[in-house]
Structure formats: C-alpha cells, structure tokens
Amino acid sequence: GRVISIPVYGLARDEAAFAVLLAAFLRRLDLPVLLHGPLDSSEGPSAASLLRELGALPSACLADASRELRDHGLAFVPTA
C-alpha cells in the first residue's frame, strides 16, 4: 500500500507532539507512516525524541527505513 509521509520540519512547540500522535493514530488504522525531519528542535521536544520515547528509533539509512516500514509500519528518517 501507499505510505503516508509526515514532514516534521520547523514545527512549533506542540506541533511535534501532534505529528507523533497523528502517526500513532494512522498506525492504529494499519496505515504505514514515514516521518522525516531533524533530530533536534529549538522549540521544545522534537518529533524524533518523542518517537524515541515510544520505541521508534531514527533509521540510519533508507534501507533501514524501508525495513521498519515493512516490519512495523512506522519509520523516522532524520534529515540534515
């Protein structure tokens, strides 16, 4: 199926949490979700840190992201 892509760049303070909650909701509907963006945020917790708390670690490469999507339906790809 198609993957839902959620960019998490330049989010305001609470928007990172909203993006992660949206991803979790979509996963409950069995939709695969790929989030992409920076590891850190100057506006509070980053999406990456919130995902880490939920057990979803950043993918080291696109092959890892593809494997995470296939196996778990959720992947985070950090960008520079």
Side-chain angles (χ1 to χ4, degrees):
R2 292 188 176 183
V3 175
I4 297 172
S5 175
I6 301 176
V8 293
Y9 305 92
L11 300 179
R13 185 165 183 82
D14 296 329
E15 290 174 338
F18 176 77
V20 171
L21 287 172
L22 175 61
F25 173 75
L26 293 169
R27 282 302 308 130
R28 294 196 70 139
L29 298 175
D30 279 336
L31 298 170
V33 180
L34 172 70
L35 294 101
H36 50 95
L39 288 171
D40 298 315
S41 170
S42 61
E43 298 292 326
S46 67
S49 65
L50 296 171
L51 286 165
R52 194 174 298 122
E53 292 295 321
L54 298 175
L57 299 176
S59 299
C61 63
L62 293 179
D64 287 346
S66 181
R67 189 172 27 264
E68 287 295 315
L69 282 171
R70 184 185 65 240
D71 296 346
H72 305 289
L74 177 70
F76 175 74
V77 176
T79 57

mmCIF file of all heavy atoms in Angstrom, residues 6-52:
data_model
loop_
_atom_site.group_PDB
_atom_site.id
_atom_site.type_symbol
_atom_site.label_atom_id
_atom_site.label_comp_id
_atom_site.label_asym_id
_atom_site.label_seq_id
_atom_site.Cartn_x
_atom_site.Cartn_y
_atom_site.Cartn_z
ATOM 1 N N ILE A 6 4.867 12.216 6.675
ATOM 2 C CA ILE A 6 4.610 13.368 7.545
ATOM 3 C C ILE A 6 5.926 14.115 7.761
ATOM 4 O O ILE A 6 6.829 13.616 8.430
ATOM 5 C CB ILE A 6 4.026 12.933 8.910
ATOM 6 C CG1 ILE A 6 2.726 12.163 8.716
ATOM 7 C CG2 ILE A 6 3.821 14.155 9.801
ATOM 8 C CD1 ILE A 6 2.137 11.607 10.000
ATOM 9 N N PRO A 7 6.051 15.320 7.193
ATOM 10 C CA PRO A 7 7.252 16.121 7.436
ATOM 11 C C PRO A 7 7.181 16.778 8.810
ATOM 12 O O PRO A 7 6.116 17.230 9.230
ATOM 13 C CB PRO A 7 7.209 17.165 6.320
ATOM 14 C CG PRO A 7 5.767 17.295 5.984
ATOM 15 C CD PRO A 7 5.133 15.960 6.269
ATOM 16 N N VAL A 8 8.286 16.789 9.507
ATOM 17 C CA VAL A 8 8.313 17.379 10.855
ATOM 18 C C VAL A 8 9.400 18.449 10.951
ATOM 19 O O VAL A 8 10.154 18.513 11.904
ATOM 20 C CB VAL A 8 8.467 16.293 11.957
ATOM 21 C CG1 VAL A 8 7.231 15.428 12.028
ATOM 22 C CG2 VAL A 8 9.685 15.414 11.715
ATOM 23 N N TYR A 9 9.441 19.331 9.957
ATOM 24 C CA TYR A 9 10.416 20.414 9.895
ATOM 25 C C TYR A 9 9.811 21.688 10.459
ATOM 26 O O TYR A 9 8.653 21.997 10.162
ATOM 27 C CB TYR A 9 10.812 20.710 8.445
ATOM 28 C CG TYR A 9 11.321 19.514 7.708
ATOM 29 C CD1 TYR A 9 10.459 18.719 6.963
ATOM 30 C CD2 TYR A 9 12.664 19.179 7.751
ATOM 31 C CE1 TYR A 9 10.924 17.620 6.278
ATOM 32 C CE2 TYR A 9 13.135 18.084 7.071
ATOM 33 C CZ TYR A 9 12.261 17.305 6.335
ATOM 34 O OH TYR A 9 12.724 16.213 5.666
ATOM 35 N N GLY A 10 10.585 22.438 11.242
ATOM 36 C CA GLY A 10 10.176 23.761 11.684
ATOM 37 C C GLY A 10 8.851 23.805 12.426
ATOM 38 O O GLY A 10 8.092 24.760 12.281
ATOM 39 N N LEU A 11 8.573 22.789 13.198
ATOM 40 C CA LEU A 11 7.306 22.744 13.921
ATOM 41 C C LEU A 11 7.334 23.637 15.153
ATOM 42 O O LEU A 11 8.362 23.774 15.807
ATOM 43 C CB LEU A 11 6.985 21.306 14.338
ATOM 44 C CG LEU A 11 6.853 20.287 13.209
ATOM 45 C CD1 LEU A 11 6.566 18.916 13.791
ATOM 46 C CD2 LEU A 11 5.766 20.691 12.238
ATOM 47 N N ALA A 12 6.210 24.221 15.473
ATOM 48 C CA ALA A 12 6.074 24.991 16.713
ATOM 49 C C ALA A 12 6.057 24.026 17.892
ATOM 50 O O ALA A 12 5.974 22.809 17.724
ATOM 51 C CB ALA A 12 4.806 25.827 16.676
ATOM 52 N N ARG A 13 6.091 24.562 19.075
ATOM 53 C CA ARG A 13 6.256 23.786 20.303
ATOM 54 C C ARG A 13 5.374 22.536 20.395
ATOM 55 O O ARG A 13 5.855 21.456 20.656
ATOM 56 C CB ARG A 13 6.031 24.689 21.505
ATOM 57 C CG ARG A 13 6.291 24.005 22.812
ATOM 58 C CD ARG A 13 6.411 25.027 23.929
ATOM 59 N NE ARG A 13 6.734 24.395 25.174
ATOM 60 C CZ ARG A 13 7.938 24.038 25.544
ATOM 61 N NH1 ARG A 13 8.957 24.245 24.752
ATOM 62 N NH2 ARG A 13 8.152 23.486 26.713
ATOM 63 N N ASP A 14 4.087 22.653 20.208
ATOM 64 C CA ASP A 14 3.201 21.498 20.387
ATOM 65 C C ASP A 14 2.957 20.705 19.108
ATOM 66 O O ASP A 14 2.351 19.641 19.154
ATOM 67 C CB ASP A 14 1.858 21.958 20.954
ATOM 68 C CG ASP A 14 1.998 22.548 22.338
ATOM 69 O OD1 ASP A 14 2.902 22.114 23.080
ATOM 70 O OD2 ASP A 14 1.214 23.448 22.681
ATOM 71 N N GLU A 15 3.422 21.212 17.983
ATOM 72 C CA GLU A 15 3.153 20.537 16.722
ATOM 73 C C GLU A 15 3.897 19.217 16.585
ATOM 74 O O GLU A 15 3.424 18.305 15.909
ATOM 75 C CB GLU A 15 3.470 21.457 15.550
ATOM 76 C CG GLU A 15 2.486 22.603 15.434
ATOM 77 C CD GLU A 15 2.858 23.602 14.361
ATOM 78 O OE1 GLU A 15 4.045 23.670 13.968
ATOM 79 O OE2 GLU A 15 1.951 24.320 13.922
ATOM 80 N N ALA A 16 5.065 19.082 17.194
ATOM 81 C CA ALA A 16 5.796 17.807 17.141
ATOM 82 C C ALA A 16 4.979 16.711 17.813
ATOM 83 O O ALA A 16 4.862 15.606 17.283
ATOM 84 C CB ALA A 16 7.166 17.933 17.798
ATOM 85 N N ALA A 17 4.394 17.024 18.950
ATOM 86 C CA ALA A 17 3.557 16.038 19.650
ATOM 87 C C ALA A 17 2.343 15.684 18.800
ATOM 88 O O ALA A 17 1.950 14.512 18.722
ATOM 89 C CB ALA A 17 3.124 16.575 21.013
ATOM 90 N N PHE A 18 1.763 16.686 18.140
ATOM 91 C CA PHE A 18 0.614 16.421 17.282
ATOM 92 C C PHE A 18 1.001 15.499 16.128
ATOM 93 O O PHE A 18 0.266 14.564 15.790
ATOM 94 C CB PHE A 18 0.026 17.730 16.740
ATOM 95 C CG PHE A 18 -1.099 17.511 15.786
ATOM 96 C CD1 PHE A 18 -2.360 17.172 16.250
ATOM 97 C CD2 PHE A 18 -0.893 17.619 14.421
ATOM 98 C CE1 PHE A 18 -3.404 16.944 15.369
ATOM 99 C CE2 PHE A 18 -1.934 17.395 13.538
ATOM 100 C CZ PHE A 18 -3.188 17.056 14.007
ATOM 101 N N ALA A 19 2.159 15.731 15.513
ATOM 102 C CA ALA A 19 2.612 14.893 14.401
ATOM 103 C C ALA A 19 2.810 13.452 14.848
ATOM 104 O O ALA A 19 2.433 12.511 14.146
ATOM 105 C CB ALA A 19 3.910 15.456 13.817
ATOM 106 N N VAL A 20 3.382 13.262 16.028
ATOM 107 C CA VAL A 20 3.602 11.905 16.555
ATOM 108 C C VAL A 20 2.267 11.242 16.896
ATOM 109 O O VAL A 20 2.061 10.058 16.601
ATOM 110 C CB VAL A 20 4.555 11.943 17.767
ATOM 111 C CG1 VAL A 20 4.630 10.593 18.458
ATOM 112 C CG2 VAL A 20 5.942 12.388 17.311
ATOM 113 N N LEU A 21 1.341 11.995 17.487
ATOM 114 C CA LEU A 21 0.016 11.439 17.777
ATOM 115 C C LEU A 21 -0.719 11.079 16.494
ATOM 116 O O LEU A 21 -1.408 10.047 16.428
ATOM 117 C CB LEU A 21 -0.806 12.424 18.601
ATOM 118 C CG LEU A 21 -0.392 12.567 20.057
ATOM 119 C CD1 LEU A 21 -1.156 13.716 20.708
ATOM 120 C CD2 LEU A 21 -0.638 11.269 20.798
ATOM 121 N N LEU A 22 -0.594 11.906 15.475
ATOM 122 C CA LEU A 22 -1.209 11.603 14.184
ATOM 123 C C LEU A 22 -0.633 10.311 13.614
ATOM 124 O O LEU A 22 -1.380 9.450 13.126
ATOM 125 C CB LEU A 22 -0.993 12.762 13.214
ATOM 126 C CG LEU A 22 -1.482 12.542 11.785
ATOM 127 C CD1 LEU A 22 -2.992 12.298 11.760
ATOM 128 C CD2 LEU A 22 -1.104 13.726 10.919
ATOM 129 N N ALA A 23 0.684 10.161 13.690
ATOM 130 C CA ALA A 23 1.323 8.937 13.195
ATOM 131 C C ALA A 23 0.810 7.718 13.962
ATOM 132 O O ALA A 23 0.510 6.680 13.358
ATOM 133 C CB ALA A 23 2.842 9.046 13.314
ATOM 134 N N ALA A 24 0.693 7.824 15.283
ATOM 135 C CA ALA A 24 0.200 6.707 16.096
ATOM 136 C C ALA A 24 -1.248 6.369 15.724
ATOM 137 O O ALA A 24 -1.616 5.193 15.626
ATOM 138 C CB ALA A 24 0.311 7.049 17.579
ATOM 139 N N PHE A 25 -2.054 7.389 15.495
ATOM 140 C CA PHE A 25 -3.446 7.166 15.102
ATOM 141 C C PHE A 25 -3.522 6.451 13.752
ATOM 142 O O PHE A 25 -4.279 5.487 13.584
ATOM 143 C CB PHE A 25 -4.195 8.500 15.039
ATOM 144 C CG PHE A 25 -5.571 8.381 14.479
ATOM 145 C CD1 PHE A 25 -6.596 7.843 15.238
ATOM 146 C CD2 PHE A 25 -5.846 8.807 13.192
ATOM 147 C CE1 PHE A 25 -7.877 7.710 14.721
ATOM 148 C CE2 PHE A 25 -7.119 8.689 12.663
ATOM 149 C CZ PHE A 25 -8.139 8.138 13.429
ATOM 150 N N LEU A 26 -2.724 6.905 12.795
ATOM 151 C CA LEU A 26 -2.726 6.273 11.477
ATOM 152 C C LEU A 26 -2.253 4.832 11.544
ATOM 153 O O LEU A 26 -2.760 3.959 10.826
ATOM 154 C CB LEU A 26 -1.860 7.091 10.514
ATOM 155 C CG LEU A 26 -2.415 8.475 10.177
ATOM 156 C CD1 LEU A 26 -1.370 9.296 9.434
ATOM 157 C CD2 LEU A 26 -3.700 8.373 9.380
ATOM 158 N N ARG A 27 -1.297 4.554 12.420
ATOM 159 C CA ARG A 27 -0.828 3.168 12.606
ATOM 160 C C ARG A 27 -1.952 2.292 13.151
ATOM 161 O O ARG A 27 -2.060 1.135 12.780
ATOM 162 C CB ARG A 27 0.377 3.119 13.563
ATOM 163 C CG ARG A 27 1.656 3.512 12.936
ATOM 164 C CD ARG A 27 2.009 2.646 11.717
ATOM 165 N NE ARG A 27 1.951 1.226 12.032
ATOM 166 C CZ ARG A 27 1.294 0.305 11.315
ATOM 167 N NH1 ARG A 27 0.647 0.625 10.225
ATOM 168 N NH2 ARG A 27 1.297 -0.965 11.667
ATOM 169 N N ARG A 28 -2.777 2.847 14.020
ATOM 170 C CA ARG A 28 -3.912 2.065 14.556
ATOM 171 C C ARG A 28 -4.894 1.696 13.458
ATOM 172 O O ARG A 28 -5.651 0.735 13.591
ATOM 173 C CB ARG A 28 -4.603 2.830 15.664
ATOM 174 C CG ARG A 28 -3.683 2.982 16.881
ATOM 175 C CD ARG A 28 -4.456 3.377 18.058
ATOM 176 N NE ARG A 28 -5.269 2.227 18.457
ATOM 177 C CZ ARG A 28 -5.468 1.862 19.692
ATOM 178 N NH1 ARG A 28 -4.912 2.531 20.654
ATOM 179 N NH2 ARG A 28 -6.225 0.844 19.977
ATOM 180 N N LEU A 29 -4.876 2.467 12.372
ATOM 181 C CA LEU A 29 -5.723 2.171 11.210
ATOM 182 C C LEU A 29 -4.983 1.288 10.196
ATOM 183 O O LEU A 29 -5.433 1.112 9.072
ATOM 184 C CB LEU A 29 -6.161 3.477 10.532
ATOM 185 C CG LEU A 29 -7.004 4.422 11.383
ATOM 186 C CD1 LEU A 29 -7.259 5.719 10.631
ATOM 187 C CD2 LEU A 29 -8.315 3.759 11.774
ATOM 188 N N ASP A 30 -3.824 0.753 10.603
ATOM 189 C CA ASP A 30 -2.981 -0.105 9.757
ATOM 190 C C ASP A 30 -2.442 0.607 8.526
ATOM 191 O O ASP A 30 -2.225 -0.006 7.489
ATOM 192 C CB ASP A 30 -3.714 -1.381 9.337
ATOM 193 C CG ASP A 30 -3.677 -2.435 10.416
ATOM 194 O OD1 ASP A 30 -2.769 -2.389 11.252
ATOM 195 O OD2 ASP A 30 -4.567 -3.304 10.415
ATOM 196 N N LEU A 31 -2.216 1.906 8.642
ATOM 197 C CA LEU A 31 -1.620 2.667 7.553
ATOM 198 C C LEU A 31 -0.132 2.869 7.852
ATOM 199 O O LEU A 31 0.223 3.269 8.958
ATOM 200 C CB LEU A 31 -2.310 4.025 7.413
ATOM 201 C CG LEU A 31 -3.797 3.951 7.058
ATOM 202 C CD1 LEU A 31 -4.435 5.318 7.196
ATOM 203 C CD2 LEU A 31 -3.965 3.397 5.658
ATOM 204 N N PRO A 32 0.747 2.579 6.897
ATOM 205 C CA PRO A 32 2.185 2.787 7.124
ATOM 206 C C PRO A 32 2.517 4.280 7.113
ATOM 207 O O PRO A 32 1.985 5.037 6.292
ATOM 208 C CB PRO A 32 2.843 2.056 5.960
ATOM 209 C CG PRO A 32 1.792 1.994 4.901
ATOM 210 C CD PRO A 32 0.472 1.992 5.601
ATOM 211 N N VAL A 33 3.390 4.687 8.030
ATOM 212 C CA VAL A 33 3.708 6.108 8.196
ATOM 213 C C VAL A 33 5.216 6.313 8.213
ATOM 214 O O VAL A 33 5.942 5.635 8.940
ATOM 215 C CB VAL A 33 3.107 6.653 9.515
ATOM 216 C CG1 VAL A 33 3.437 8.128 9.680
ATOM 217 C CG2 VAL A 33 1.609 6.425 9.575
ATOM 218 N N LEU A 34 5.662 7.274 7.408
ATOM 219 C CA LEU A 34 7.059 7.681 7.376
ATOM 220 C C LEU A 34 7.137 9.134 7.817
ATOM 221 O O LEU A 34 6.519 10.008 7.205
ATOM 222 C CB LEU A 34 7.627 7.547 5.964
ATOM 223 C CG LEU A 34 9.017 8.121 5.758
ATOM 224 C CD1 LEU A 34 10.050 7.255 6.484
ATOM 225 C CD2 LEU A 34 9.338 8.218 4.285
ATOM 226 N N LEU A 35 7.849 9.392 8.905
ATOM 227 C CA LEU A 35 8.094 10.760 9.347
ATOM 228 C C LEU A 35 9.520 11.123 8.956
ATOM 229 O O LEU A 35 10.404 10.268 8.974
ATOM 230 C CB LEU A 35 7.933 10.886 10.859
ATOM 231 C CG LEU A 35 6.510 10.671 11.374
ATOM 232 C CD1 LEU A 35 6.373 9.287 11.950
ATOM 233 C CD2 LEU A 35 6.168 11.691 12.409
ATOM 234 N N HIS A 36 9.738 12.395 8.611
ATOM 235 C CA HIS A 36 11.087 12.827 8.246
ATOM 236 C C HIS A 36 11.296 14.259 8.695
ATOM 237 O O HIS A 36 10.388 15.085 8.634
ATOM 238 C CB HIS A 36 11.334 12.680 6.744
ATOM 239 C CG HIS A 36 10.273 13.289 5.883
ATOM 240 N ND1 HIS A 36 10.371 14.559 5.374
ATOM 241 C CD2 HIS A 36 9.095 12.796 5.457
ATOM 242 C CE1 HIS A 36 9.294 14.820 4.657
ATOM 243 N NE2 HIS A 36 8.488 13.770 4.691
ATOM 244 N N GLY A 37 12.506 14.493 9.221
ATOM 245 C CA GLY A 37 12.838 15.821 9.716
ATOM 246 C C GLY A 37 14.076 15.785 10.583
ATOM 247 O O GLY A 37 14.772 14.775 10.658
ATOM 248 N N PRO A 38 14.343 16.889 11.281
ATOM 249 C CA PRO A 38 15.561 16.990 12.091
ATOM 250 C C PRO A 38 15.474 16.150 13.373
ATOM 251 O O PRO A 38 14.385 15.848 13.861
ATOM 252 C CB PRO A 38 15.632 18.476 12.425
ATOM 253 C CG PRO A 38 14.218 18.938 12.374
ATOM 254 C CD PRO A 38 13.550 18.118 11.312
ATOM 255 N N LEU A 39 16.643 15.804 13.896
ATOM 256 C CA LEU A 39 16.697 15.068 15.165
ATOM 257 C C LEU A 39 16.396 15.970 16.352
ATOM 258 O O LEU A 39 15.851 15.515 17.356
ATOM 259 C CB LEU A 39 18.077 14.430 15.345
ATOM 260 C CG LEU A 39 18.384 13.243 14.438
ATOM 261 C CD1 LEU A 39 19.845 12.848 14.572
ATOM 262 C CD2 LEU A 39 17.467 12.079 14.765
ATOM 263 N N ASP A 40 16.759 17.247 16.246
ATOM 264 C CA ASP A 40 16.607 18.171 17.365
ATOM 265 C C ASP A 40 15.669 19.315 17.004
ATOM 266 O O ASP A 40 15.418 19.583 15.834
ATOM 267 C CB ASP A 40 17.958 18.752 17.764
ATOM 268 C CG ASP A 40 18.923 17.682 18.226
ATOM 269 O OD1 ASP A 40 18.505 16.816 19.017
ATOM 270 O OD2 ASP A 40 20.089 17.705 17.790
ATOM 271 N N SER A 41 15.185 19.990 18.046
ATOM 272 C CA SER A 41 14.318 21.139 17.844
ATOM 273 C C SER A 41 14.666 22.213 18.862
ATOM 274 O O SER A 41 14.943 21.914 20.022
ATOM 275 C CB SER A 41 12.852 20.730 18.021
ATOM 276 O OG SER A 41 12.023 21.866 18.056
ATOM 277 N N SER A 42 14.632 23.452 18.430
ATOM 278 C CA SER A 42 14.866 24.562 19.367
ATOM 279 C C SER A 42 13.553 25.012 20.004
ATOM 280 O O SER A 42 13.540 25.878 20.859
ATOM 281 C CB SER A 42 15.520 25.733 18.628
ATOM 282 O OG SER A 42 14.664 26.194 17.600
ATOM 283 N N GLU A 43 12.448 24.412 19.590
ATOM 284 C CA GLU A 43 11.108 24.803 20.054
ATOM 285 C C GLU A 43 10.493 23.768 21.001
ATOM 286 O O GLU A 43 9.289 23.578 20.992
ATOM 287 C CB GLU A 43 10.184 24.994 18.846
ATOM 288 C CG GLU A 43 10.605 26.080 17.911
ATOM 289 C CD GLU A 43 10.484 27.460 18.533
ATOM 290 O OE1 GLU A 43 9.561 27.685 19.330
ATOM 291 O OE2 GLU A 43 11.336 28.302 18.228
ATOM 292 N N GLY A 44 11.301 23.082 21.783
ATOM 293 C CA GLY A 44 10.764 22.059 22.685
ATOM 294 C C GLY A 44 11.123 20.671 22.181
ATOM 295 O O GLY A 44 12.019 20.516 21.352
ATOM 296 N N PRO A 45 10.411 19.655 22.639
ATOM 297 C CA PRO A 45 10.738 18.285 22.236
ATOM 298 C C PRO A 45 10.583 18.100 20.725
ATOM 299 O O PRO A 45 9.616 18.573 20.139
ATOM 300 C CB PRO A 45 9.732 17.413 22.986
ATOM 301 C CG PRO A 45 9.051 18.298 23.954
ATOM 302 C CD PRO A 45 9.265 19.704 23.529
ATOM 303 N N SER A 46 11.537 17.426 20.123
ATOM 304 C CA SER A 46 11.448 17.141 18.694
ATOM 305 C C SER A 46 10.584 15.904 18.469
ATOM 306 O O SER A 46 10.386 15.096 19.375
ATOM 307 C CB SER A 46 12.840 16.907 18.112
ATOM 308 O OG SER A 46 13.393 15.717 18.645
ATOM 309 N N ALA A 47 10.096 15.768 17.253
ATOM 310 C CA ALA A 47 9.349 14.560 16.903
ATOM 311 C C ALA A 47 10.235 13.332 17.100
ATOM 312 O O ALA A 47 9.771 12.295 17.579
ATOM 313 C CB ALA A 47 8.848 14.650 15.474
ATOM 314 N N ALA A 48 11.527 13.460 16.765
ATOM 315 C CA ALA A 48 12.456 12.342 16.921
ATOM 316 C C ALA A 48 12.542 11.895 18.386
ATOM 317 O O ALA A 48 12.531 10.700 18.678
ATOM 318 C CB ALA A 48 13.832 12.718 16.402
ATOM 319 N N SER A 49 12.622 12.862 19.311
ATOM 320 C CA SER A 49 12.732 12.484 20.728
ATOM 321 C C SER A 49 11.421 11.877 21.234
ATOM 322 O O SER A 49 11.443 10.940 22.038
ATOM 323 C CB SER A 49 13.145 13.684 21.584
ATOM 324 O OG SER A 49 12.152 14.683 21.577
ATOM 325 N N LEU A 50 10.303 12.372 20.765
ATOM 326 C CA LEU A 50 9.016 11.802 21.168
ATOM 327 C C LEU A 50 8.839 10.394 20.601
ATOM 328 O O LEU A 50 8.360 9.488 21.299
ATOM 329 C CB LEU A 50 7.868 12.705 20.716
ATOM 330 C CG LEU A 50 7.841 14.089 21.363
ATOM 331 C CD1 LEU A 50 6.804 14.973 20.686
ATOM 332 C CD2 LEU A 50 7.573 13.995 22.858
ATOM 333 N N LEU A 51 9.240 10.200 19.358
ATOM 334 C CA LEU A 51 9.166 8.860 18.770
ATOM 335 C C LEU A 51 10.078 7.893 19.514
ATOM 336 O O LEU A 51 9.724 6.729 19.726
ATOM 337 C CB LEU A 51 9.553 8.917 17.289
ATOM 338 C CG LEU A 51 8.512 9.525 16.367
ATOM 339 C CD1 LEU A 51 9.131 9.857 15.014
ATOM 340 C CD2 LEU A 51 7.327 8.592 16.207
ATOM 341 N N ARG A 52 11.254 8.383 19.909
ATOM 342 C CA ARG A 52 12.203 7.550 20.658
ATOM 343 C C ARG A 52 11.558 7.058 21.966
ATOM 344 O O ARG A 52 11.745 5.914 22.363
ATOM 345 C CB ARG A 52 13.476 8.342 20.938
ATOM 346 C CG ARG A 52 14.637 7.510 21.409
ATOM 347 C CD ARG A 52 15.912 8.335 21.537
ATOM 348 N NE ARG A 52 16.315 8.897 20.250
ATOM 349 C CZ ARG A 52 16.475 10.196 20.013
ATOM 350 N NH1 ARG A 52 16.294 11.085 20.966
ATOM 351 N NH2 ARG A 52 16.838 10.619 18.822
#
